[in-house]
Amino acid sequence: MSLSKTTCAALMTRLGKVLSKHALLHDEEALRPYECDGLSAYRQLPAVVCLPETVEQVQAVLRICDELQVPVVPRGAGTGLSGGALPDHAGVLLVLTKLNRILEIDAPNFCARVEPGVRNLALSEATRPLGLYYAPDPSSQIACSIGGNVAENSGGVHCLKYGLTVHNVLGLKMLTIEGELLDIGGKTLDAPGYDVLALLCGSEGLLGVIVEITVRLLPCPECAQVMVAAFDDVAKAGAAVGNVIAAGIIPAGLEMMDKLAIRAAEDFVHVGYPKHAAAILLCEVDGARVEVPEELQRVRQIMLESGAFEVRIATDEAERALFWKSRKATFPAVGRLSPDYYCMDGTIPRHRLAEVLTRIEALSEQFGLPVANVFHAGDGNLHPLILYDANREGDLTKAEALGACILRLCVAVGGTITGEHGVGIEKLDGMCMQFKSSELSQFLRVKAAFDPQGLLNPGKAVPTLHRCAELGAMHVHRGQVPFPELERF
Amino acid sequence: MNHDLSLSLQDQVKEAIAKKHTLAIVGGGSKSFLQSAKADAELNLSGHRGVLNYEPGELFISARAGTPLAEIETLLADHRQMLASEPQHFSQGENLATLGGAVACGFSGSRRPFAGSLRDHVLGVNMLNGKGERLQFGGQVMKNVAGFDVSRLMVGARGTLGALLEISVKVMPKPELEQTLLFECPSVHAVKRMSGFVHRSLPLSALAWLEGYLLVRLEGTETAVSAASAQIGGDVAEQSANFWLSLREQTHPFFRRHQPLWRLSVPPAADLPIPENEVFIDWQGGLRWWQTDRSAEYIQTMASKAGGYAYLFRDAGPVIGDSPPTGLLTLHRSLKQSFDPDGLFNPGLMGGQF
């Protein structure tokens, strides 16, 4: 359904009264940069883009949309990987990047108040002189905004020890679709009543528009060291992860890359990772200066006992940064191997790691598409990158079918279809695999408790029962799923 | 003891719906200082017990809601692991407290600022909603953003949104060594000194103040603890494990005065004019326990001016606990409605409202 001419005219007139000319985009050329987020396979022009600069303006925009019943899609920096900020063609794209002020750094209370458009890394850069930092560090931290992090409950390479966004946010100010400002939590470690804060973290813009965030700041660790352990077998690397955890060590980060990912990263960043390794583990330990070297030695020992053929410890801060740079650059590096890639985000129980990787490899061969694996091994969060060429006919469909098989596999071994990227538009079918209709209905009722008209980010994150029924019907009745000859997990 | 009563519990809920009865959810009955719900019938979960899945290497445990907390803690301790948030039992020495009750109340002990809250560690729940449907949210993995975070919404909801049947929580390795250091210090300087310790990259697991002493609990490897201890000085506390337990369970003599006990959750650096002999400061300053006959209005105004909130935690008779903030009351009602449309579960336990 597109906006009727009258609604569109009324919308533009009323928005024009609250937003300046440059903050209200309507021409196709101006809208074009906003047609997709980090998941570029899905593109859609919105009817209008709003770029408010104040909370009052956001409030006014929401009130107008609520009255005219126009859908609103909130958007941060647009780095999301599940199409959560894909515009609605009959709606307003509410871009929050201009609300980018750090409102307060409250060092005595170990917290900061920020507007949603503040970049993740910018906050830690601002607080570091005070010996404090904001722990969640998604790979996109240079660009991604904290508001977007809250919407997606973003993790990062250090969340094994420091948690996800939900563990590092203390308070939120949120606007309802009606434009009412709600104050949730604050600078305290808990809040009275229901844990609305937890519910909002990762709600993908379906419940409200976040206009201020109070985040927890942690003291910068005195010391951090990283090592790279190389294995000739993925299964050995997987076992090593379990052995480190079982030894009672919680590393600050524990990442794995497989052969293809190593090759890509190495060609791109030239760190000197052993290129012939079947898998490498990157393990960071942080804490007090006296403690770190000892713990690192223990990890090194475990890696060797688990079959690592080489363990390298970064000798200085520069080398540590380089090791991480290579890990964080894996996505763009893989992007150089192939015209397109499709990034998955399932989480599995750690002890099924080796088994799942083997099955992904088999699927990759069956579909004839290479898969590079980089993941947060410590918490079982996989990022298989399916390499394909969008210009080759059928490749995208094949990639999506392979992706669906991988997600089905994650659910089958007791995991989840998304660990940190969110459901967005991309994993709606995956939600049908993971949840029963009664559970999806409960999600929809929660959504309605906040947004009874369903105007906020419609069609994302929670599939309609109708969609799931159709998907089920597709499997059961027609039996004509793509690639029916393939085993599905 | 291992009993799966989920089918019978589900039937009881369906029967209550049919009869238009309300239900009071009962666990081990440990937290008797809290008001129980006045309802037509009881939904007793204490028999629904047993550990369902525990993989030490996976850092999580799943158990039925009626499983005694003590049973879980013993099992974890056997594998050198723990519930890092130190949830209170309030069982007066008997092992009545259940996992479900702990999650429904959502209390966390002194390790909260350093290791996270019980809510932080909840990974998934299996529950009955007010329509009698058995629902699964979250799971057993730490990173999971599929669907709204209903599992964590259940923590501290006092059973007003549904009956928890099974819960998965994250567990952590138990530290090699614990040592508590005491520093003589007036309460007015306590919070500032705590903040100084936090900046020094120490293996902290509690920062509290009681009866003229700043209490610094260090936990970690032997190397880390002894290095930190040498660095900061102070007197080493004897029998510190029992001491922390008495603070967690509020059996310490400080809590035995016959005065109302207030819980103030405030920004850690808040400067509150509370007389020294009436306060126990925990959570690095973020939590103040105040025994006083002052009026509710006085205490709540003080907490709210400092950017926090306060509620009566214990009194001569049972208390109601925390209430939703006024500004969020409508939203709370809508959420309650979305899970429990007929107001079946624990009427009145959400702040006396519903």
Side-chain angles (χ1 to χ4, degrees), chain A residues 109 190 194-195 294 351 439, chain B residues 58 119 136 223 263 265 269:
Chain A
N109 285 312
D190 61 16
Y194 294 141
D195 204 328
E294 186 189 79
H351 68 280
E439 291 153 353
Chain B
E58 291 293 316
R119 166 269 218 186
Q136 171 72 45
T223 321
R263 182 187 187 276
S265 179

Side-chain angles (χ1 to χ4, degrees), chain B residues 66-110:
Chain B
T67 313
L69 208 45
E71 186 182 319
I72 290 172
E73 287 169 342
T74 309
L75 176 64
L76 294 177
D78 288 345
H79 294 84
R80 300 202 53 76
Q81 292 190 331
M82 62 178 182
L83 296 174
S85 64
E86 299 181 275
Q88 285 91 339
H89 291 226
F90 295 132
S91 288
Q92 309 292 329
E94 294 174 69
N95 289 330
L96 300 173
T98 61
L99 176 64
V103 169
C105 289
F107 303 138
S108 299
S110 298

Side-chain angles (χ1 to χ4, degrees), chain A residues 107-110 130-132 152-153 155-156 159-161 163-164 166-167 169-170 174 180 182-199 201-204 206-207 216 219-223 242 245-246 248-250 287-288 290-291 294-295 298 345 347-352 376 379 381 414-423 431 434-436 438-439 442-447 449-450 461-462, chain B residues 55-60 81 112-114 116-117 119-121 129 131 133-150 152-153 155-158 160-161 170-173 176 194-196 198-203 219-224 227-228 231 263 265-270 283-284 286-287 307-309 311 322-325 327-328 330-341 350 354:
Chain A
N109 285 312
F110 295 88
L130 298 163
L132 299 168
E152 302 295 323
N153 190 16
C159 62
L160 178 58
K161 185 166 176 182
L164 309 160
V166 68
H167 304 112
V169 169
L170 298 171
M174 183 200 98
E180 190 192 349
L182 302 181
D183 221 329
I184 296 146
K187 292 180 178 178
T188 50
L189 286 177
D190 61 16
Y194 294 141
D195 204 328
V196 180
L197 189 69
L199 194 58
C201 286
S203 62
E204 303 195 25
L206 265 75
L207 305 182
R216 231 185 145 198
C220 301
E222 197 174 66
C223 174
I245 307 276
I249 298 168
I250 306 289
V290 289
E291 189 181 16
E294 186 189 79
E295 194 145 286
R298 281 180 66 202
D345 173 43
T347 304
I348 55 159
R350 265 183 300 267
H351 68 280
R352 310 290 291 265
H376 311 298
D379 36 47
N381 186 196
T416 174
I417 56 164
T418 173
E420 58 181 359
H421 294 170
V423 174
M431 289 291 284
Q434 193 168 332
F435 293 100
K436 298 186 299 229
S438 53
E439 291 153 353
Q442 184 62 65
F443 286 145
L444 293 168
R445 286 197 299 277
V446 168
K447 157 80 171 160
F450 284 81
V462 184
Chain B
E55 302 268 354
E58 291 293 316
L59 296 181
F60 81 86
Q81 292 190 331
R112 171 16 175 153
F114 309 98
S117 61
R119 166 269 218 186
D120 286 347
H121 297 151
N129 67 3
K131 297 166 139 238
E133 294 167 330
R134 191 171 173 176
L135 309 174
Q136 171 72 45
F137 297 107
Q140 300 175 332
V141 290
M142 198 178 102
K143 282 168 100 175
N144 184 355
V145 293
F148 299 128
D149 197 347
V150 173
R152 291 196 175 94
L153 180 67
V155 186
R158 301 280 307 279
T160 57
L161 297 177
K170 183 182 167 192
V171 301
M172 295 286 275
E176 229 171 75
M194 289 178 187
S195 152
V198 175
H199 275 288
R200 288 172 70 176
S201 220
L202 303 168
E219 283 181 336
T221 59
E222 203 175 331
T223 321
Q231 197 187 341
R263 182 187 187 276
S265 179
V266 291
W283 289 9
Q284 186 198 319
L287 195 60
Y309 72 100
Y311 66 90
D322 60 330
S323 310
L328 298 180
T330 313
L331 179 60
H332 273 66
R333 278 190 201 286
S334 313
L335 279 172
K336 165 78 176 174
Q337 179 78 22
S338 79
F339 282 91
D340 181 17
M350 186 36 64
F354 43 79

Side-chain angles (χ1 to χ4, degrees), chain A residues 327-382:
Chain A
R327 161 63 187 90
K328 290 195 177 185
T330 312
F331 286 18
V334 168
R336 293 177 8 139
L337 289 187
S338 161
D340 299 280
Y341 69 85
Y342 185 38
C343 173
M344 312 305 297
D345 173 43
T347 304
I348 55 159
R350 265 183 300 267
H351 68 280
R352 310 290 291 265
L353 211 64
E355 172 194 347
V356 168
L357 288 177
T358 313
R359 287 166 82 167
I360 290 178
E361 206 179 326
L363 284 167
S364 160
E365 271 169 30
Q366 282 177 8
F367 280 85
L369 293 176
V371 176
N373 283 292
V374 278
F375 49 90
H376 311 298
D379 36 47
N381 186 196
L382 311 175

